Amino acid sequence: MNEKAILKYFYFLVFFLGIFFNATAQENPANRKAEDYYKRAVNALYENNSKGLIENCYNAMDANPTFVKPYVLLADYCMDHGRLSEAIEVYNKLLINIPNNFDGLMGRAKAEQGLEKFDEAQTDYEAASNLTEIAAQYHKAALDRLEKLKYIRYLVAHPVPYDPVNLGPNINSEVDEYFPTFTVDGETMYFTRKKIRGIKERNGISFTDVNEDIMMSKKVNGEWQPAEDIPGPINTPDNNEGAMTIAPDGTYLIFTRCIGGNCDLYISFYINDNWTRPVNMGEPVNTRFKETQPSISGDGRTIYFASNRDGSLGGLDIWSSTHDDEWNFSQPINLGPIINTKEDDQFPFIHPDNQTLYFISRGHKGLGANDIFYARRNEGGKWDSAVNIGYPINTSADEPGLVIDRLGEYAYFSSERDGGYGKLDLYRFLLPKNARPHPVTYLKAHITDIYTKQPLQGNLELIDLETGKPVLKTIANNHGDVEAVLPGGKDYMVNVSDSGYLFYSNNIPLKNYHDNNPYQYNIELRPLKAGEKISLRNVFFPPDGFGLDEKSKPELNKLVAFMKENPNVKLEISGHTDNSGKPAHNQELSEKRAKTLYDYLVNEGKVPAARLTYKGYGDTQPIAPNTTEKGKQENRRTEVKIIN
């Protein structure tokens, strides 16, 4: 038994036995022999001596058949090791010697419930609730179990599709694998592996020395390659690293490192094809309490994690924190009582849709101690009620957390199942349709110099054209690449800037893009020199009008920022039309539109008027044939040109 299990039993002995024994189940103080055997059983537990534990529990029962503690200790030990039938036998023995014992009825019912013997469990819960010589809180506990059992029976009677598939020997081994996470393209997987380093002894107790490390595997031709340690300075020989999450664009990762029992979140950045040495994220993310199990949002700016810090509603709660452009993380926010309960709520996974959260909970109504739930964020930004993902995904056992792929089709999790390669293995299954997240679009952008074709590490921002709100701010890697996931069914404004270049403006029409493959987008930046010009693709006017549409302001504000960052640049703002209508009218309209932008930059943006000129060109400078509507649309444009 590992130290965690021993600690669990310590809490069990201190709290459970003290709380749930009623007056009719007290030990007999006069029976010193039974008490002595019981103490030996407890010592055997601490010494990881299962044989001694079992023998001494039975000796204590024989010495005093009405001494409750050894029954409950042994039954709980059996249940913790999945031996539910043996636990029932122990409780049967207790109930023969002490009929209608509250602890015996409740414990046996829990074991029966785990074996899906629901009729027997209901009978025992009802019998416990009908006892007359019990305190009010025990009566309520039995009624609560009955109510929960009704819900369990409903879930079991309405199963969801579930057919888990092992990820195979290149991922799984004879030891534990868990906490998977993926890059946005789904081609690289990271996960935690528990490595066995030998047997050690501490205070006369032998235990298995293990170390948790982060592993990775790449998919080649649809097959996962043999897993290796994550490259770089992430793993350490003496500390436990695991439960990591990677940003959708692959530029940084956050993981849990535990040193001497204290778990904090650490961050590492991917620079020049290498992971930097990780650093403790510090306050306000980390505290003297436990911080673990991070998950990064689809826009890469918010992290969700579990912590039992001050302000938690129960034990572990789920919290979130968002960083600004300077990488300052905000004071974490508790996700509130819709998500968190008075029990442990943990293992958050926020899908790239940024609207669907998956987590496990001991407090929400479910089948076992820990069940998997999901919740959706509504239009007001609040979380709707937590939904149990269903049976048989959830069982009477503790369930691990889930990770969902970008397409929302497959869920990945760890489990110890028959036919596996060792202990905990990684599996995947097709997610039930009602539990799937919203669809997202996958963008792959490549930024280069328009003339040299060399990659540029430009700053890229995407803005929702409908709301005008930024949805992504990131920097291309040293190969000029940007990867991002975006909510589907929307069109986006894209702005790219880099030192020494004219900023780039366009829009990405993803509203009707439903392909599972990434949307490939090439961006070419023009150097800062006289004569270079760009079209402002996200400046909008009404048909045949020159009043500025509100949706144009984010783009113009980017132009203002560009002018402030490049104080020596002077620009000409030019308006252009298609050949519809009379040339004189087109000339006047184009000039008025150029003047509208000039006025905004000078009056609202505070750009000195001496650095700007404006001119209308009407339909005299087409960039596409005016023979099609698409060509005419391209010709209706506003441009800026460097004149100095």
Side-chain angles (χ1 to χ4, degrees), residues 122 342 380:
Q122 183 169 332
K342 294 180 180 179

Side-chain angles (χ1 to χ4, degrees), residues 158-224:
H158 300 83
V160 297
Y162 182 57
D163 185 20
V165 176
N166 193 292
L167 294 189
N170 283 348
I171 300 298
N172 296 312
S173 68
E174 70 278 1
V175 295
D176 290 334
E177 284 84 22
Y178 42 95
F179 294 146
T181 190
F182 297 85
T183 52
V184 67
D185 60 6
E187 297 299 307
T188 305
M189 172 170 53
Y190 300 89
F191 59 92
T192 306
R193 174 174 287 169
K194 184 179 289 185
K195 299 177 180 177
I196 298 176
R197 301 195 297 186
I199 304 298
K200 287 190 176 181
E201 187 173 304
R202 183 182 300 159
N203 299 326
I205 299 176
S206 297
F207 63 93
T208 302
D209 183 32
V210 298
N211 184 258
E212 293 177 311
D213 281 340
I214 297 173
M215 311 296 292
M216 67 170 290
S217 174
K218 288 187 176 294
K219 187 181 287 186
V220 178
N221 297 324
E223 296 292 331
W224 291 112

Side-chain angles (χ1 to χ4, degrees), residues 14 99 153 209 361 392 513 573 584 589:
V14 173
R153 299 191 77 159
D209 183 32
S361 173
Y513 187 80
I573 304 167
L589 178 62

Side-chain angles (χ1 to χ4, degrees), residues 385-415:
S385 58
V387 180
N388 191 296
I389 202 168
Y391 173 88
I393 300 174
N394 285 325
T395 66
S396 60
D398 283 355
E399 310 302 340
L402 289 183
V403 170
I404 315 299
D405 68 6
R406 174 180 61 86
L407 299 177
E409 295 179 350
Y410 284 95
Y412 293 78
F413 72 111
S414 59
S415 179

